[in-house]
Amino acid sequence: MSTTGATADPLAALGALPGVAESVESVRRAVDRVYGHRVMRRRSNEITSEAALRGSRGSAALSGADWALEEVRRRTDFSGDAEARVVGAALRLTAEAGQLLSVWRQSPLRVLARLHLVAAASGDDEVGRPRQAGEPVEEPLLELPLPDAAEVSGRLEGLAELIIAGSSAPALVTAAVVHGELLALRPFVSHNGLVARAAERIVLIGSGLDPKAVCPAEVGHAELGRASYLAALDGYVSGTPEGMAAWIAHCGRAVGLGVRESTAVCEALQRGAA
């Protein structure tokens, strides 16, 4: 996303794109419904925990480890094969995201570096910092052209400036831009998809739209499918108003499906208590 132009608040300008206001309003209504559920008033911690597990599973699925929810719930060792390590990374990121909310608005680049460190769980030199010139990127499910290290550095700085400056844009718009920009840039040598979705989670929670973390967008992204995810991302990368609006709408649908998932959990708990 370009951070230059006539407007001092480019995120707010995206919020004015055709169709975006409708997506924002649809998400807000959906979130209000689940927060108003009677179970949320008594057992919100349980809903939060379940949403975290399901969100982690969804994010891992989009990174190639499409495990059944009960397998994710059952396993305790994620150090085995490549898929297990992806699931483990997704679980660690979801847990870590909640610890970084207060840092995000002051130092988003520090948060992103921390997320990569947590995901990679390695002491390698390239972990926990943006990639440098000549370093390869391990992100096999994303085949977009890869920006060079200099472009990555400039665009990350621009994104950080937008976050720190603040915006009147709705949370959905900011979350979608952070998510899309990180996928487009792939700033780290690995785990960029997982980090991008964790950053989206941080924005949605920290903005106050989903303060109890019960609306896992990762669930919705996985349910919509990888093909739809990548097609919407192509729209973001195009930079056209239509493409940007389509990506924001896609992220809105993902949040809505996350809300539906947690509403179903609420209903199941209510039936069990009856």
PDB file of all heavy atoms in Angstrom, residues 241-261:
ATOM      1  N   PRO A 241      -8.639   0.762  -6.531  1.00  0.00           N
ATOM      2  CA  PRO A 241      -9.729   0.916  -5.561  1.00  0.00           C
ATOM      3  C   PRO A 241     -10.623  -0.319  -5.486  1.00  0.00           C
ATOM      4  O   PRO A 241     -11.023  -0.738  -4.392  1.00  0.00           O
ATOM      5  CB  PRO A 241     -10.495   2.138  -6.084  1.00  0.00           C
ATOM      6  CG  PRO A 241      -9.468   2.925  -6.842  1.00  0.00           C
ATOM      7  CD  PRO A 241      -8.576   1.896  -7.483  1.00  0.00           C
ATOM      8  N   GLU A 242     -10.916  -0.914  -6.648  1.00  0.00           N
ATOM      9  CA  GLU A 242     -11.779  -2.095  -6.661  1.00  0.00           C
ATOM     10  C   GLU A 242     -11.104  -3.269  -5.960  1.00  0.00           C
ATOM     11  O   GLU A 242     -11.730  -4.009  -5.190  1.00  0.00           O
ATOM     12  CB  GLU A 242     -12.127  -2.483  -8.102  1.00  0.00           C
ATOM     13  CG  GLU A 242     -12.940  -1.447  -8.861  1.00  0.00           C
ATOM     14  CD  GLU A 242     -12.070  -0.303  -9.406  1.00  0.00           C
ATOM     15  OE1 GLU A 242     -10.822  -0.401  -9.359  1.00  0.00           O
ATOM     16  OE2 GLU A 242     -12.662   0.688  -9.879  1.00  0.00           O
ATOM     17  N   GLY A 243      -9.805  -3.437  -6.221  1.00  0.00           N
ATOM     18  CA  GLY A 243      -9.081  -4.541  -5.600  1.00  0.00           C
ATOM     19  C   GLY A 243      -8.942  -4.370  -4.104  1.00  0.00           C
ATOM     20  O   GLY A 243      -9.092  -5.330  -3.325  1.00  0.00           O
ATOM     21  N   MET A 244      -8.661  -3.146  -3.674  1.00  0.00           N
ATOM     22  CA  MET A 244      -8.546  -2.883  -2.243  1.00  0.00           C
ATOM     23  C   MET A 244      -9.879  -3.114  -1.540  1.00  0.00           C
ATOM     24  O   MET A 244      -9.944  -3.714  -0.455  1.00  0.00           O
ATOM     25  CB  MET A 244      -8.058  -1.456  -2.010  1.00  0.00           C
ATOM     26  CG  MET A 244      -6.689  -1.142  -2.567  1.00  0.00           C
ATOM     27  SD  MET A 244      -5.354  -1.990  -1.713  1.00  0.00           S
ATOM     28  CE  MET A 244      -5.220  -1.006  -0.223  1.00  0.00           C
ATOM     29  N   ALA A 245     -10.945  -2.625  -2.148  1.00  0.00           N
ATOM     30  CA  ALA A 245     -12.274  -2.804  -1.552  1.00  0.00           C
ATOM     31  C   ALA A 245     -12.635  -4.281  -1.466  1.00  0.00           C
ATOM     32  O   ALA A 245     -13.226  -4.731  -0.475  1.00  0.00           O
ATOM     33  CB  ALA A 245     -13.319  -2.039  -2.365  1.00  0.00           C
ATOM     34  N   ALA A 246     -12.265  -5.050  -2.497  1.00  0.00           N
ATOM     35  CA  ALA A 246     -12.568  -6.484  -2.494  1.00  0.00           C
ATOM     36  C   ALA A 246     -11.808  -7.199  -1.378  1.00  0.00           C
ATOM     37  O   ALA A 246     -12.342  -8.102  -0.727  1.00  0.00           O
ATOM     38  CB  ALA A 246     -12.219  -7.092  -3.849  1.00  0.00           C
ATOM     39  N   TRP A 247     -10.556  -6.810  -1.145  1.00  0.00           N
ATOM     40  CA  TRP A 247      -9.779  -7.419  -0.063  1.00  0.00           C
ATOM     41  C   TRP A 247     -10.385  -7.072   1.295  1.00  0.00           C
ATOM     42  O   TRP A 247     -10.520  -7.948   2.168  1.00  0.00           O
ATOM     43  CB  TRP A 247      -8.330  -6.961  -0.145  1.00  0.00           C
ATOM     44  CG  TRP A 247      -7.503  -7.321   1.055  1.00  0.00           C
ATOM     45  CD1 TRP A 247      -7.016  -6.471   2.000  1.00  0.00           C
ATOM     46  CD2 TRP A 247      -7.064  -8.633   1.447  1.00  0.00           C
ATOM     47  NE1 TRP A 247      -6.302  -7.173   2.960  1.00  0.00           N
ATOM     48  CE2 TRP A 247      -6.322  -8.497   2.650  1.00  0.00           C
ATOM     49  CE3 TRP A 247      -7.258  -9.914   0.894  1.00  0.00           C
ATOM     50  CZ2 TRP A 247      -5.759  -9.588   3.302  1.00  0.00           C
ATOM     51  CZ3 TRP A 247      -6.693 -11.001   1.555  1.00  0.00           C
ATOM     52  CH2 TRP A 247      -5.951 -10.838   2.734  1.00  0.00           C
ATOM     53  N   ILE A 248     -10.760  -5.826   1.491  1.00  0.00           N
ATOM     54  CA  ILE A 248     -11.369  -5.425   2.769  1.00  0.00           C
ATOM     55  C   ILE A 248     -12.681  -6.184   2.987  1.00  0.00           C
ATOM     56  O   ILE A 248     -12.968  -6.661   4.093  1.00  0.00           O
ATOM     57  CB  ILE A 248     -11.593  -3.905   2.809  1.00  0.00           C
ATOM     58  CG1 ILE A 248     -10.234  -3.175   2.808  1.00  0.00           C
ATOM     59  CG2 ILE A 248     -12.406  -3.504   4.046  1.00  0.00           C
ATOM     60  CD1 ILE A 248     -10.333  -1.682   2.524  1.00  0.00           C
ATOM     61  N   ALA A 249     -13.464  -6.320   1.918  1.00  0.00           N
ATOM     62  CA  ALA A 249     -14.724  -7.057   2.028  1.00  0.00           C
ATOM     63  C   ALA A 249     -14.468  -8.520   2.372  1.00  0.00           C
ATOM     64  O   ALA A 249     -15.206  -9.124   3.167  1.00  0.00           O
ATOM     65  CB  ALA A 249     -15.511  -6.942   0.726  1.00  0.00           C
ATOM     66  N   HIS A 250     -13.432  -9.090   1.768  1.00  0.00           N
ATOM     67  CA  HIS A 250     -13.077 -10.481   2.077  1.00  0.00           C
ATOM     68  C   HIS A 250     -12.729 -10.622   3.556  1.00  0.00           C
ATOM     69  O   HIS A 250     -13.185 -11.557   4.230  1.00  0.00           O
ATOM     70  CB  HIS A 250     -11.893 -10.912   1.204  1.00  0.00           C
ATOM     71  CG  HIS A 250     -11.459 -12.322   1.444  1.00  0.00           C
ATOM     72  ND1 HIS A 250     -11.966 -13.390   0.727  1.00  0.00           N
ATOM     73  CD2 HIS A 250     -10.579 -12.850   2.339  1.00  0.00           C
ATOM     74  CE1 HIS A 250     -11.408 -14.509   1.167  1.00  0.00           C
ATOM     75  NE2 HIS A 250     -10.560 -14.205   2.138  1.00  0.00           N
ATOM     76  N   CYS A 251     -11.931  -9.697   4.069  1.00  0.00           N
ATOM     77  CA  CYS A 251     -11.577  -9.740   5.485  1.00  0.00           C
ATOM     78  C   CYS A 251     -12.820  -9.558   6.356  1.00  0.00           C
ATOM     79  O   CYS A 251     -12.933 -10.179   7.428  1.00  0.00           O
ATOM     80  CB  CYS A 251     -10.530  -8.669   5.795  1.00  0.00           C
ATOM     81  SG  CYS A 251      -8.904  -8.996   5.057  1.00  0.00           S
ATOM     82  N   GLY A 252     -13.752  -8.728   5.910  1.00  0.00           N
ATOM     83  CA  GLY A 252     -14.998  -8.561   6.643  1.00  0.00           C
ATOM     84  C   GLY A 252     -15.808  -9.845   6.695  1.00  0.00           C
ATOM     85  O   GLY A 252     -16.361 -10.209   7.751  1.00  0.00           O
ATOM     86  N   ARG A 253     -15.866 -10.548   5.578  1.00  0.00           N
ATOM     87  CA  ARG A 253     -16.577 -11.836   5.575  1.00  0.00           C
ATOM     88  C   ARG A 253     -15.891 -12.829   6.506  1.00  0.00           C
ATOM     89  O   ARG A 253     -16.554 -13.624   7.186  1.00  0.00           O
ATOM     90  CB  ARG A 253     -16.652 -12.392   4.150  1.00  0.00           C
ATOM     91  CG  ARG A 253     -17.612 -11.633   3.251  1.00  0.00           C
ATOM     92  CD  ARG A 253     -17.886 -12.377   1.957  1.00  0.00           C
ATOM     93  NE  ARG A 253     -16.694 -12.471   1.118  1.00  0.00           N
ATOM     94  CZ  ARG A 253     -16.310 -11.539   0.249  1.00  0.00           C
ATOM     95  NH1 ARG A 253     -17.026 -10.429   0.116  1.00  0.00           N
ATOM     96  NH2 ARG A 253     -15.230 -11.703  -0.487  1.00  0.00           N
ATOM     97  N   ALA A 254     -14.564 -12.786   6.551  1.00  0.00           N
ATOM     98  CA  ALA A 254     -13.834 -13.693   7.432  1.00  0.00           C
ATOM     99  C   ALA A 254     -14.170 -13.414   8.895  1.00  0.00           C
ATOM    100  O   ALA A 254     -14.379 -14.350   9.685  1.00  0.00           O
ATOM    101  CB  ALA A 254     -12.335 -13.560   7.188  1.00  0.00           C
ATOM    102  N   VAL A 255     -14.208 -12.148   9.282  1.00  0.00           N
ATOM    103  CA  VAL A 255     -14.575 -11.812  10.656  1.00  0.00           C
ATOM    104  C   VAL A 255     -15.998 -12.285  10.934  1.00  0.00           C
ATOM    105  O   VAL A 255     -16.287 -12.849  12.004  1.00  0.00           O
ATOM    106  CB  VAL A 255     -14.448 -10.303  10.916  1.00  0.00           C
ATOM    107  CG1 VAL A 255     -14.953  -9.955  12.321  1.00  0.00           C
ATOM    108  CG2 VAL A 255     -13.002  -9.837  10.758  1.00  0.00           C
ATOM    109  N   GLY A 256     -16.897 -12.072   9.989  1.00  0.00           N
ATOM    110  CA  GLY A 256     -18.280 -12.509  10.167  1.00  0.00           C
ATOM    111  C   GLY A 256     -18.398 -14.007  10.383  1.00  0.00           C
ATOM    112  O   GLY A 256     -19.194 -14.465  11.218  1.00  0.00           O
ATOM    113  N   LEU A 257     -17.597 -14.777   9.657  1.00  0.00           N
ATOM    114  CA  LEU A 257     -17.619 -16.232   9.844  1.00  0.00           C
ATOM    115  C   LEU A 257     -16.990 -16.617  11.180  1.00  0.00           C
ATOM    116  O   LEU A 257     -17.406 -17.592  11.807  1.00  0.00           O
ATOM    117  CB  LEU A 257     -16.885 -16.914   8.685  1.00  0.00           C
ATOM    118  CG  LEU A 257     -17.623 -16.855   7.345  1.00  0.00           C
ATOM    119  CD1 LEU A 257     -16.715 -17.311   6.208  1.00  0.00           C
ATOM    120  CD2 LEU A 257     -18.894 -17.711   7.385  1.00  0.00           C
ATOM    121  N   GLY A 258     -15.990 -15.851  11.616  1.00  0.00           N
ATOM    122  CA  GLY A 258     -15.442 -16.079  12.949  1.00  0.00           C
ATOM    123  C   GLY A 258     -16.476 -15.830  14.024  1.00  0.00           C
ATOM    124  O   GLY A 258     -16.564 -16.577  15.015  1.00  0.00           O
ATOM    125  N   VAL A 259     -17.275 -14.788  13.835  1.00  0.00           N
ATOM    126  CA  VAL A 259     -18.374 -14.500  14.767  1.00  0.00           C
ATOM    127  C   VAL A 259     -19.361 -15.665  14.780  1.00  0.00           C
ATOM    128  O   VAL A 259     -19.811 -16.107  15.855  1.00  0.00           O
ATOM    129  CB  VAL A 259     -19.094 -13.200  14.360  1.00  0.00           C
ATOM    130  CG1 VAL A 259     -20.408 -13.055  15.127  1.00  0.00           C
ATOM    131  CG2 VAL A 259     -18.205 -11.996  14.607  1.00  0.00           C
ATOM    132  N   ARG A 260     -19.688 -16.173  13.609  1.00  0.00           N
ATOM    133  CA  ARG A 260     -20.634 -17.299  13.527  1.00  0.00           C
ATOM    134  C   ARG A 260     -20.105 -18.507  14.291  1.00  0.00           C
ATOM    135  O   ARG A 260     -20.856 -19.202  14.984  1.00  0.00           O
ATOM    136  CB  ARG A 260     -20.884 -17.666  12.065  1.00  0.00           C
ATOM    137  CG  ARG A 260     -21.998 -18.687  11.892  1.00  0.00           C
ATOM    138  CD  ARG A 260     -22.257 -18.992  10.436  1.00  0.00           C
ATOM    139  NE  ARG A 260     -21.171 -19.780   9.848  1.00  0.00           N
ATOM    140  CZ  ARG A 260     -21.164 -20.223   8.590  1.00  0.00           C
ATOM    141  NH1 ARG A 260     -22.164 -19.905   7.778  1.00  0.00           N
ATOM    142  NH2 ARG A 260     -20.163 -20.944   8.132  1.00  0.00           N
ATOM    143  N   GLU A 261     -18.798 -18.747  14.180  1.00  0.00           N
ATOM    144  CA  GLU A 261     -18.188 -19.873  14.884  1.00  0.00           C
ATOM    145  C   GLU A 261     -18.341 -19.716  16.395  1.00  0.00           C
ATOM    146  O   GLU A 261     -18.727 -20.648  17.100  1.00  0.00           O
ATOM    147  CB  GLU A 261     -16.707 -19.955  14.511  1.00  0.00           C
ATOM    148  CG  GLU A 261     -15.995 -21.172  15.034  1.00  0.00           C
ATOM    149  CD  GLU A 261     -16.080 -22.365  14.103  1.00  0.00           C
ATOM    150  OE1 GLU A 261     -16.813 -22.294  13.095  1.00  0.00           O
ATOM    151  OE2 GLU A 261     -15.421 -23.373  14.380  1.00  0.00           O
TER     152      GLU A 261
END
